[in-house]
Amino acid sequence: MAATCESRRSVFRRIANRPHADWPVYDTTPLYERSSLAGVESDIRTVSQTWFRHDCHESVENFVCVLPLAYFEFDAHDRYAESTRYEMDSLFRVFILKECHGWEHETALIEYLECRPALCEQLGLESLPNQSTLWRSWHERFTAELRGTVETAARTILIKAQNADVAVPREPERHLPSHGDEEDESDLDEQAVLDEAATVTDHVTHVVFPAFSLNRGDSCEIHENAYWDLQTYLGLRERLAANEGARSFTYETTRERTPLGHSHREHIRDLSIAEIREMYRQAVNRLLSEVAETEEFFRAGIVAIDITEADPFTGDRTGHEDEIIGTKEKTDEYAYQWATVQLVGNAVPIVLDARPVRKGESRLEIVEDLLDSAEELVHVDNVLMDREFDSQHVLEMLSQRGLSYVVPKRMQTSEKAQAKRLLQRDRDRYETDRKLHLGKNEWHETTLIYRRKENTEHDDHRQYSVFMTNRGSGHLTEYGYRWEIESGYRSIKRFMAATTSKDFGLRFFYFAFACLLYSIWRAVDLLVQAELTGEYEHSPVITADNTLTLLKKETGIG
């Protein structure tokens, strides 16, 4: 929903009534002038924090367009003396938009704006700049300090939007605030955060890792923990395989005896899929018990179920056709696939369970299996899934469990026809009840919600998305939480050891252990925030690299 005059007035009334808010700061404190970049950064932080809390403000792009800049003087930061075609405030907004999307080159920005003339008008562009104009404006017209403010402003906007559960174009990177840094209003000292994280990581790993066992007996010369240390070490280095990693590990660890690469792989191969999953669930249960002691952990909530795939497999898959299956995009490529169920929403995004996907398994089997695990660990209220799970039998199973769901529907002939009618009537939203046939004269009742996409490049029925839910349109806003599982997959794959092995169990163990490292990182972050601030902001204050560095120390590496 776009901002209105009333919604804007509401935001600025709230800011004016805040007892500790100085806005605009150039006018309320002698520290800033109207050309102060620190002042405009502070004002953007103040306004965005309140802006996205308004129910009508659900768009980052809309905020960039209406960002109040009339008071700010750009002249001190404009290195062009001659008259120019494009005003500095318009370019400032354009480059914030570019940074919000994370585009490295101007070409992507131009292609995006070419399809959105209304957005160009809102940004104050009478005509669209070409690539060379934008490049020169950024590199030659803007000062280095102004470029830094654009990056800071975009990051602030993304964080404030994300904190208010507004969908963002990309995951904002967060750094640890240093002394005197007002950002995120946390006043956290970097060393204090790292010291606390070290203590928490030490405790968490001593709680979690004992859930894993190789069943080797007590008389082995190499301690079992050395295997988990090596697996953690492999996850610390990008694309590091077991043989090379084991050799490097001997030089970096403080352990006297460590496993060789082939020995490590052999012991992992001896584990069955069922054993790996059981150990994983035990480890996650221990992890949840730790974070559940904090008031900031929401034990009841929303879960997202999805399937991810490994990089396309290029070798001979003879004998492994049931395990190295086609990709979700139905191309001629093949890949291993893994399914997960993860906490999303306001809860810490821990991966509750993971399982492999084999040829011939139905989506109903996969969802039932993962939900059985999830409901043993936490109380589940709502389930979010992608459109590949839009089977009526899956939806009926969820309803029978007493769970609500939001699932996008693949558009068939009837949905396309309805979308065309909505387009003709210029309607943005439409709801209708639908009965889905289950067979044997049995039906599943659901609600279809048609919603027009914002800033779409399509001019036909593809402007609309169709969602199915059994709890009314109020749950539709929660579907935005599902992107968290996609961002989680990117981090999980970063933690995976490299291998060319076709062994299904080994491949799955590597994925499951990466899920565990990811979950440890997010749990440690929650515990650190709760200890130092008494609150929990969903975006982490410690990075994955910080946590993995601490894991290196706690596992005897370095």
Side-chain angles (χ1 to χ4, degrees), residues 28 48 109 121 137 149 155 193 215 239 249 255 288 370 403 409 443 471:
T28 54
S48 61
L109 172 63
E121 183 178 351
S137 297
T149 292
R155 179 176 168 273
V193 171
N215 302 317
R239 310 303 300 171
F249 186 54
R255 292 186 179 276
L288 289 171
L370 292 175
L403 302 175
K409 188 181 188 306
W443 304 83
R471 295 293 169 85

Side-chain angles (χ1 to χ4, degrees), residues 375-390:
E375 291 191 298
E376 288 182 3
L377 296 170
V378 298
H379 176 73
V380 178
D381 291 323
N382 194 10
V383 181
L384 309 177
M385 295 178 292
D386 200 358
R387 57 176 42 88
E388 64 181 303
F389 296 97
D390 68 354

Side-chain angles (χ1 to χ4, degrees), residues 15 74 134 138 160 171 224 234 331 336 361 408 523:
I15 295 174
F74 283 98
L134 287 176
W138 179 255
K160 298 306 182 185
E171 178 78 6
E224 186 171 283
L234 297 177
T331 66
Y336 294 89
E361 289 182 318

Side-chain angles (χ1 to χ4, degrees), residues 358-372:
R358 293 182 174 89
K359 183 178 180 180
E361 289 182 318
S362 70
R363 293 298 187 254
L364 178 61
E365 293 176 75
I366 294 170
V367 174
E368 280 189 306
D369 184 18
L370 292 175
L371 278 180
D372 286 343

Side-chain angles (χ1 to χ4, degrees), residues 347-361:
V348 57
I350 289 175
V351 180
L352 300 174
D353 194 14
R355 74 184 307 277
V357 178
R358 293 182 174 89
K359 183 178 180 180
E361 289 182 318

Side-chain angles (χ1 to χ4, degrees), residues 467-511:
F467 294 86
M468 295 183 291
T469 180
N470 58 347
R471 295 293 169 85
S473 60
H475 282 69
L476 192 58
T477 56
E478 295 180 350
Y479 190 75
Y481 293 138
R482 206 197 69 81
W483 71 266
E484 296 171 13
I485 203 168
E486 299 293 346
S487 62
Y489 281 150
R490 289 194 291 271
S491 296
I492 288 166
K493 291 177 180 179
R494 156 70 177 81
F495 298 154
M496 285 184 64
T499 182
T500 57
S501 173
K502 298 179 188 177
D503 187 273
F504 199 47
L506 178 70
R507 287 272 190 166
F508 176 63
F509 179 85
Y510 278 14
F511 177 76

Side-chain angles (χ1 to χ4, degrees), residues 280-281 284 288 303 341-343 350-354 373-374 377-378:
Y280 183 87
R281 286 190 290 259
V284 169
L288 289 171
V303 299
V341 56
Q342 176 181 313
L343 286 172
I350 289 175
V351 180
L352 300 174
D353 194 14
S373 297
L377 296 170
V378 298

